[in-house]
Amino acid sequence: MSVSAGKMGPSLTQEILSHLGLASKTAAWGTLGTLRTFLNFSVDKDAQRLLRAITGQGVDRSAIVDVLTNRSREQRQLISRAFQERTQQDLLKSLQAALSGNLERIVMALLQPTAQFDAQELRTALKASDSAVDVAIEILATRTPPQLQECLAVYKHDFQVEAVDDITSETNGILQDLLLALVKGGRDSYSGIIDYNLAEQDVRALQRAEGPSTEETWVPLFTQRNPEHLIRVFEQYHWSTGQELEEAVQNRFHGDAQAALLGLASVIKNTPLYFADKLHQALQETEPNYQVLIRILISRCETDLLSIRAEFKKKFGKSLYSSLQDAVKGDCQSALLALCRAEDM
């Protein structure tokens, strides 16, 4: 999507910032994703083009990237089926054999159903202690209830174990309680009316919670109240105590529990900003954290990546597109830039 910043209208950033609260909804001009359904879609032409890209003289990486980063996930699934019918070969395996490195990882992620991709990322994270908190909170706290239920069903099917069993065996303490509560679901639905009395009660309960009752109060509140209510609780907590809720988390909790609660608070307050922070952190490492970049750009490109881009530019003074250009090298750069879509002026 190309956008020109003229004098007669607001910039892209200004326009998206005005819709940040609607990241999961549809704006008048379309979705807040960067990747839309391709209008002139021809499943046969795309399948043929991909076949030529991997059977010609040398692998045509540009053609592969062009097709897969300009089709919605539903359209990519249709292409996979057409390729199978035409060639009697699995498209994912064929591309996997033709590619390598981070470009291969991107293409594999693009061709997987969303639930399968999330289930794989969650499983990998739970089995790797250094990323369990970060990835588990990201997936369990930012997916819609239907998406999460499908992810958990695929998890059980693919790995022959329930996600709750892996969480129970791989985590402990408050972190385990938080993740199990998120897997269970059961957040209050937002009625459109903030219950200010309940918000005050919750603030008082958070303030009073000490010792063992700290976990018993904070975990249900963070995992069962709806985000709109919790935002009010966070604001009221600040007004009542003069302290941001995040400061209280840092004072009362430590280690994985602290990281999980801070991540959850960030998701609740501003999900696009949460992802912008994670992308910035991934780009600041000596070697970019490609797993984080790939997971976020692919999982959010059809939902709210425009909002994430706007928050990134607002907070860090540099566009996500330019940041990717500067930090990412190799064949995968064109694919990640295509998912990001455009510069924010």
Side-chain angles (χ1 to χ4, degrees):
M1 181 183 70
S2 60
V3 179
S4 59
K7 295 182 179 179
M8 296 303 293
S11 68
L12 174 62
T13 300
Q14 291 171 326
E15 185 171 2
I16 300 307
L17 284 174
S18 69
H19 290 89
L20 282 177
L22 304 176
S24 62
K25 302 180 181 179
T26 301
W29 45 271
T31 73
L32 290 172
T34 56
L35 198 159
R36 319 288 176 84
T37 298
F38 190 67
L39 297 180
N40 295 320
F41 178 55
S42 169
V43 65
D44 289 330
K45 287 182 179 179
D46 284 345
Q48 289 173 2
R49 189 178 179 194
L50 289 174
L51 180 61
R52 289 194 301 269
I54 58 179
T55 57
Q57 189 172 2
V59 178
D60 189 347
R61 292 172 177 79
S62 296
I64 295 169
V65 168
D66 185 53
V67 171
L68 297 182
T69 61
N70 283 287
R71 306 296 184 269
S72 67
R73 193 174 288 273
E74 182 180 355
Q75 290 175 325
R76 295 194 297 271
Q77 294 301 304
L78 292 174
I79 294 169
S80 292
R81 288 199 285 271
F83 188 94
Q84 175 79 40
E85 292 170 1
R86 180 178 295 277
T87 67
Q88 305 306 306
Q89 297 176 40
D90 183 271
L91 177 59
L92 190 149
K93 291 180 180 178
S94 298
L95 288 171
Q96 194 170 19
L99 301 170
S100 62
N102 287 313
L103 181 57
E104 177 192 345
R105 292 170 63 185
I106 293 169
V107 168
M108 296 306 98
L110 284 167
L111 286 173
Q112 286 179 306
T114 303
Q116 186 179 31
F117 178 58
D118 280 347
Q120 260 186 11
E121 290 289 298
L122 181 59
R123 169 78 170 187
T124 300
L126 289 174
K127 294 298 180 180
S129 59
D130 60 331
S131 61
V133 178
D134 190 44
V135 178
I137 290 295
E138 177 187 323
I139 292 175
L140 299 179
T142 67
R143 303 313 190 244
T144 65
Q147 287 173 335
L148 183 55
Q149 290 309 306
E150 188 177 1
C151 168
L152 296 174
V154 171
Y155 193 105
K156 180 180 180 180
H157 177 270
D158 286 1
F159 306 117
Q160 297 299 298
V161 63
E162 297 276 5
V164 294
D165 294 330
D166 274 346
I167 291 170
T168 302
S169 64
E170 301 295 335
T171 64
N172 54 59
I174 298 176
L175 173 62
Q176 183 183 101
D177 293 339
L178 270 171
L179 297 184
L180 289 176
L182 290 171
V183 166
K184 183 180 179 181
R187 276 199 188 278
D188 302 333
S189 58
Y190 180 49
S191 66
I193 300 174
I194 298 292
D195 186 335
Y196 290 97
N197 289 330
L198 181 59
E200 290 179 7
Q201 291 174 25
D202 286 344
V203 169
R204 288 196 295 271
L206 291 173
Q207 290 177 272
R208 287 196 303 265
E210 298 288 347
S213 68
T214 303
E215 176 184 344
E216 295 171 5
T217 301
W218 287 65
V219 170
L221 219 154
F222 267 64
T223 58
Q224 294 177 15
R225 299 285 196 246
N226 67 71
E228 290 79 6
H229 174 84
L230 285 173
I231 289 171
R232 175 65 185 179
V233 170
F234 295 172
E235 292 171 348
Q236 188 122 349
Y237 189 94
H238 183 225
W239 294 335
S240 299
T241 67
Q243 184 184 52
E244 295 289 349
L245 194 78
E246 290 85 345
E247 295 176 59
V249 170
Q250 290 171 335
N251 292 335
R252 290 169 181 252
F253 300 92
H254 305 282
D256 288 343
Q258 181 190 102
L261 285 167
L262 289 174
L264 199 48
S266 181
V267 170
I268 291 165
K269 291 175 76 172
N270 188 333
T271 300
L273 179 58
Y274 163 80
F275 282 114
D277 282 333
K278 293 193 69 172
L279 287 168
H280 185 260
Q281 183 179 353
L283 289 166
Q284 294 305 300
E285 299 182 18
T286 305
E287 174 75 9
N289 189 326
Y290 286 101
Q291 185 172 1
V292 172
L293 295 176
I294 291 168
R295 185 178 62 250
I296 294 177
L297 290 173
I298 290 178
S299 66
R300 311 310 293 188
C301 67
E302 294 186 54
T303 53
D304 60 353
L305 190 50
L306 286 175
S307 296
I308 295 167
R309 275 171 37 185
E311 289 286 12
F312 191 100
K313 178 69 178 291
K314 179 184 178 183
K315 181 168 182 177
F316 303 111
K318 183 178 181 179
S319 72
L320 176 58
Y321 193 91
S322 291
S323 299
L324 289 167
Q325 275 185 318
D326 292 343
V328 175
K329 308 300 179 187
D331 291 338
C332 70
Q333 186 196 62
S334 61
L336 294 180
L337 290 175
L339 293 171
C340 183
R341 224 39 162 203
E343 181 66 88
D344 294 311
M345 306 304 292

